[in-house]
Amino acid sequence: MDLPKRYDPAEAEPKWQKYWEENEVFSFDREDSQREVYSVDTPPPTVSGKMHLGHAFSYSQQDFMVRFHRMLGKNVFYPFGTDNNGVATERLIEKMKKVKAKKMGRSEFVKLCLETVKTELIPQYTSDMKRLGLSCDFSLFYDTIDEHSQKISQQSFIDLYKSGREYRKDAPTMWCPTCETGISQVECEDKELDSHFNDIVFKLIEDDGSETDVLIATTRPELLPACVAIFYHPDDTRYQKYNGKKAKVPLFNHEVVILPDKRADPEKGTGIVMCCTFGDQTDMEWQKAHDLPIKLAISADGKMTALAGKYEGMKISDARKAMIADMKETGLLVSQKPIKHAVNVHERCGTEVEFLKAKQWFIKYLDLKEEMIAWGKSLNWYPDHMRVRYDHWVNGLQWDWMISRQRYFGVPFPVWYCKECDEVIVADEKDLPVDPIKDKAPVDACPKCGSSEFVAEEDVMDTWATSSLTPQIAAGLVDHKGVYPMSLRPQAHDIITFWLFNTVVKSRLHNEVNPWKDVAISGHAQDPHGKKMSKSKGNVVEPQKMIAKYSSDALRFWAAGSKLGDDLPFQEKDLVTGAKFTTKLWNASKFCFMHLEDFDSSTVPKKLEIVDRWILSKLSRIIKDSTASFERYEYSKTKLDVEGFFWHDFCDDYLEIVKDRLYNPDRRGSDARLSGQYGLYHSLNAVLKMIAPIMPHISEEVYHLYYASQEEKKSIHISSWPSLDMPDEEAEKIGQVVIEAVEHARRAKSEKNVSLKTPIVQMFVKAKITPEEFDLVVDEIKAATKAEVIEFEQLGEESEASFGCEIEL
RNA sequence: GGGCCCGUAGUUCAGCGGCUAGAACGUCUCCCUUACAAGGAGAAGGUCACCGGUUCAAGUCCGGUCGGGCCCACCA
């Protein structure tokens, strides 16, 4: 066989990727209703330009698992989706195209988004994923903003609305007064700002009508007009006597009640705190817990409302200054301490985030906490400890699921409101997907009041409202009963509380089943020092460059180096190791095929040599262990086992010993050669197959050089997983003596600084096997050590040493 | 502040109750042996973070301390 001297991944990898696609190697068989289906809820990456290393890491890991199941003969449903929905995409497009959504106007901006997503983002992203060697069926594609997804998302909304799970009510929303837009958590960042703790005087009204001063510390005096209550910690003896009494708010003089609440921190400020509607998160919790009135001090454009009386119309910062000045004058401000504190600001403009009242849509689910815990329990978590994060999240839930966003680019709510009575008009299901801004409501008159005027809902749904439906979206691409519920949800651990949790909720609410059987949670790729990679730190590694420099197989080999769920620091040296592994595979295969040219794979030799039985016995154990590891999604264990077996047992030991028989049938006998060929054939084949899920390209390349025609398969990835079962205790015992003798010989030569081919004049071997057994392998030892004469002595069972060796060079 | 994970060789990790604690990379020495110098052979290198406990026996189980990482929350 004439083989190229070197393997060139830069040429081979794209070649096979093209081959797989053209030959539909990873196609889901829609017609097959017999074969077990293995369906995967592939995470649709949020398209942010290019694939980053974290994606390469976790998508590689899921691909290992999927490829394994495919080789078990299952009908694999492995779609590919992208998530282009919501804030992240809006911001990316604004940056890419140098536009502002607000200035551009809604319809034009949405159009630009859709176009950019389709013609630039998705193609770039998909090609990166293909280059990584992901074995998705790319013909099963969805994007969370495409019509198919919109339809399913809107259908979900309508179903939940009709079943009474959705409601609309006023709720605080995060708002940037400068940009005049609703914003989400991901758009905020912490910023250290200088501020002041102001101790101000509230007048407590005693039972007899007299007033007592109570000092309250605040950083936000401008919210005084929205003050609705005062809280102290229930254990705080200083303030217990005020329970239920009222106090007058400085400057505004409206009366608010004083109540105990354990969220008040006795250590902070004066230990007693004012609660203003929409001051911060805790304020909102208090508002909800104590059913306090909602008061708005700040309007959408960041100015004071009418509630602020004479301060109305002032900007927040001016109002703060004015009120402080006024309180100083009237003696209501006792002291001012400068502090530094972290505040939530809008990352784009640095403005402090405010909370604003707006009508929002919610999915009601707080009543389902117990069920949610049970749903989580009935999932198979890999690794198991990730389940805890889900449980803690559910236990900590305090709000229903808010699904509306004051944004442009997202799935529209299929909803209109009656202009007269605010009645909700829901789209007709047959019209989905709809855009209420463009489309007409499905009725001519309001069923409640008869009015014929409607207003469209302009909010869009939050990303998670749609991406929590990926199992249904993906399953909807084919008409096959076996696809949903799915077999596997692979994803990273950071979004257990978002994507995973929300998907469980939706699947349960709609279909009363868990969306999948197994969840496999991967960790994060980190920089070489174990830190998170981020653009601002400048420690980002581009997977595209690594693939170009080494290979996709090498990058995947690195990704297989950590246990599922563990974070893994990126080290370029690990890619060198991966690249070396492909070279070793190539070279060893070249050697094997050279000696297998005249081998008929259907042949089973009448008698197998001890050393061949030895390697096949070891191999059997590796296959058994690796299969079990893969079934538990422990691909890193498989990788480690196969790597060690291949490099050491197979290459370093077995090939060196069997070589002589393969080259010299005249001296060693043709039966002995045939036996060696048998060992070679099955060992290498199994190694290739076991490493194929991790290194799909080199294994495919090598497989096609020889095995593909023997097994009549068009790809190693749809060949059968190895199943050899030839455990052989006797051979392992005798084989071990051979290995030890060879190792002693190597050490002796190394210590003498001579070449390994230097002959050994005489060798004495002592071992706990019989002379007859030793005779079976004496020629192997001679061949591998160049020993001319070997003397053997059997060690008795009582002997302390199990092996002894003396060598005369 | 809450949660989860992790502290084993210079580095990245295996080992998770029982022989002398392993691998890869790196280092050092030697060897171009007809698959492979991106190779082969050998060697050096570890009080398994610290303290206490359970056990005949502990990197391995339990408790605590310290350190690292990530996620979530909070910041009157």
Side-chain angles (χ1 to χ4, degrees), chain A residues 545-658:
Chain A
K545 286 189 183 158
M546 291 301 133
I547 289 174
K549 186 166 172 190
Y550 299 96
S551 66
S552 154
D553 280 348
L555 187 64
R556 296 168 61 108
F557 191 81
W558 161 74
S562 86
K563 258 191 291 209
L564 183 65
D566 282 3
D567 295 339
L568 181 65
F570 175 84
Q571 309 234 93
E572 194 161 339
K573 70 181 174 68
D574 293 334
L575 296 197
V576 177
T577 309
K580 283 184 181 176
F581 193 80
T582 59
T583 305
K584 190 74 177 175
L585 266 175
W586 176 260
N587 288 324
S589 301
K590 218 165 58 172
F591 172 83
C592 291
F593 299 156
M594 202 162 84
H595 294 284
L596 285 172
E597 266 186 285
D598 61 337
F599 179 70
D600 174 0
S601 61
S602 60
T603 310
V604 180
K606 283 191 284 292
K607 182 175 156 286
L608 283 174
E609 296 291 320
I610 294 287
V611 171
D612 301 326
R613 282 162 55 192
W614 167 81
I615 194 75
L616 292 169
S617 177
K618 285 203 153 212
L619 175 64
S620 300
R621 192 161 49 246
I622 294 291
I623 292 174
K624 208 173 145 195
D625 292 350
S626 295
T627 309
S629 303
F630 251 134
E631 269 162 0
R632 291 191 302 265
Y633 299 111
E634 289 170 8
Y635 49 82
S636 62
K637 177 111 182 357
T638 302
K639 182 209 141 193
L640 219 56
D641 287 350
V642 174
E643 194 184 0
F645 171 81
F646 168 70
W647 207 297
H648 295 116
D649 296 323
F650 184 71
C651 291
D652 294 345
D653 293 336
Y654 180 69
L655 289 187
E656 291 307 323
I657 296 167
V658 81

Side-chain angles (χ1 to χ4, degrees), chain A residues 147 174 252 267 310 415 434 467 513 545 549 560 593 676 692 708 797:
Chain A
E147 281 208 358
M174 285 167 113
F252 298 92
E267 304 293 318
K310 71 172 198 180
V415 160
V434 300
S467 51
V513 288
K545 286 189 183 158
K549 186 166 172 190
F593 299 156
E797 280 308 312

Side-chain angles (χ1 to χ4, degrees), chain A residues 78-92:
Chain A
Y78 190 21
F80 186 74
T82 50
D83 190 12
N84 284 298
N85 192 331
V87 192
T89 311
E90 284 191 10
R91 282 158 69 222
L92 178 66

Side-chain angles (χ1 to χ4, degrees), chain A residues 295-366:
Chain A
K295 288 192 172 186
L296 273 181
I298 296 166
S299 68
D301 54 2
K303 293 183 175 149
M304 304 307 293
T305 63
L307 200 63
K310 71 172 198 180
Y311 307 98
E312 184 181 354
M314 283 185 174
K315 291 205 316 206
I316 297 171
S317 51
D318 295 338
R320 182 181 298 182
K321 278 181 213 149
M323 288 189 203
I324 284 178
D326 289 348
M327 285 191 286
K328 241 183 205 161
E329 213 164 276
T330 49
L332 291 168
L333 180 71
V334 174
S335 67
Q336 245 189 335
K337 284 188 288 279
I339 55 161
K340 263 192 190 297
H341 67 163
V343 293
N344 230 359
V345 300
H346 188 202
E347 63 171 6
R348 197 179 330 173
C349 64
T351 312
E352 285 186 53
V353 171
E354 296 296 339
F355 290 90
L356 211 79
K357 190 171 77 164
K359 282 226 169 181
Q360 307 282 8
W361 277 101
F362 290 86
I363 293 177
K364 179 178 156 212
Y365 67 13
L366 275 186

Side-chain angles (χ1 to χ4, degrees), chain A residues 669-688:
Chain A
S670 58
D671 285 346
R673 176 162 183 271
L674 184 67
S675 173
Q677 287 177 311
Y678 185 83
L680 230 52
Y681 182 94
H682 292 282
S683 303
L684 181 66
N685 197 13
V687 164
L688 288 174

Side-chain angles (χ1 to χ4, degrees), chain A residues 51-61 129 132 543 555 558-559:
Chain A
M51 172 179 80
H52 59 70
L53 190 69
H55 283 140
F57 178 68
S58 62
Y59 281 83
S60 291
Q61 293 181 346
M129 287 295 186
L132 183 63
L555 187 64
W558 161 74

Side-chain angles (χ1 to χ4, degrees), chain A residues 326-573:
Chain A
D326 289 348
M327 285 191 286
K328 241 183 205 161
E329 213 164 276
T330 49
L332 291 168
L333 180 71
V334 174
S335 67
Q336 245 189 335
K337 284 188 288 279
I339 55 161
K340 263 192 190 297
H341 67 163
V343 293
N344 230 359
V345 300
H346 188 202
E347 63 171 6
R348 197 179 330 173
C349 64
T351 312
E352 285 186 53
V353 171
E354 296 296 339
F355 290 90
L356 211 79
K357 190 171 77 164
K359 282 226 169 181
Q360 307 282 8
W361 277 101
F362 290 86
I363 293 177
K364 179 178 156 212
Y365 67 13
L366 275 186
D367 57 319
L368 297 174
K369 280 195 185 187
E370 253 176 64
E371 288 89 335
M372 289 168 176
I373 295 286
W375 300 340
K377 264 204 177 65
S378 62
L379 285 169
N380 300 321
W381 293 80
Y382 299 92
D384 192 61
H385 65 79
M386 293 292 180
R387 171 200 312 277
V388 180
R389 298 197 186 190
Y390 173 100
D391 288 348
H392 282 284
W393 173 257
V394 172
N395 288 330
L397 277 179
Q398 296 196 46
W399 316 85
D400 278 334
W401 181 7
M402 190 178 96
I403 54 168
S404 49
R405 291 294 123 99
Q406 292 69 52
R407 293 250 137 217
Y408 290 169
F409 190 55
V411 178
F413 283 86
V415 160
W416 296 258
Y417 307 104
C418 171
K419 204 170 178 181
E420 287 299 314
C421 68
D422 209 28
E423 174 74 357
V424 174
I425 313 287
V426 174
D428 197 318
E429 294 171 22
K430 71 173 171 18
D431 298 334
L432 301 182
V434 300
D435 181 353
I437 294 175
K438 290 185 198 145
D439 300 326
K440 281 186 61 179
V443 293
D444 295 326
C446 170
K448 201 166 152 195
C449 71
S451 160
S452 58
E453 281 196 82
F454 305 110
V455 288
E457 171 62 87
E458 293 196 356
D459 286 1
V460 293
M461 290 191 218
D462 177 40
T463 281
W464 301 108
T466 302
S467 51
S468 58
L469 291 162
T470 51
Q472 292 91 327
I473 290 170
L477 296 171
V478 294
D479 181 21
H480 193 293
K481 280 199 288 290
V483 168
Y484 178 92
M486 296 196 155
S487 314
L488 174 71
R489 153 61 69 90
Q491 64 161 80
H493 55 55
D494 55 338
I495 49 173
I496 290 174
T497 56
F498 296 90
W499 192 39
L500 186 146
F501 169 72
N502 291 334
T503 309
V504 170
V505 167
K506 283 245 177 156
S507 184
R508 284 289 181 166
L509 291 182
H510 288 299
N511 306 311
E512 289 164 5
V513 288
N514 274 348
W516 345 269
K517 199 165 119 273
D518 298 348
V519 296
I521 309 291
S522 59
H524 282 148
Q526 300 170 328
D527 84 351
H529 309 289
K531 297 257 161 62
K532 188 181 174 169
M533 282 194 185
S534 71
K535 276 187 198 146
S536 57
K537 280 190 210 149
N539 58 356
V540 171
V541 172
E542 288 183 43
Q544 293 83 356
K545 286 189 183 158
M546 291 301 133
I547 289 174
K549 186 166 172 190
Y550 299 96
S551 66
S552 154
D553 280 348
L555 187 64
R556 296 168 61 108
F557 191 81
W558 161 74
S562 86
K563 258 191 291 209
L564 183 65
D566 282 3
D567 295 339
L568 181 65
F570 175 84
Q571 309 234 93
E572 194 161 339
K573 70 181 174 68

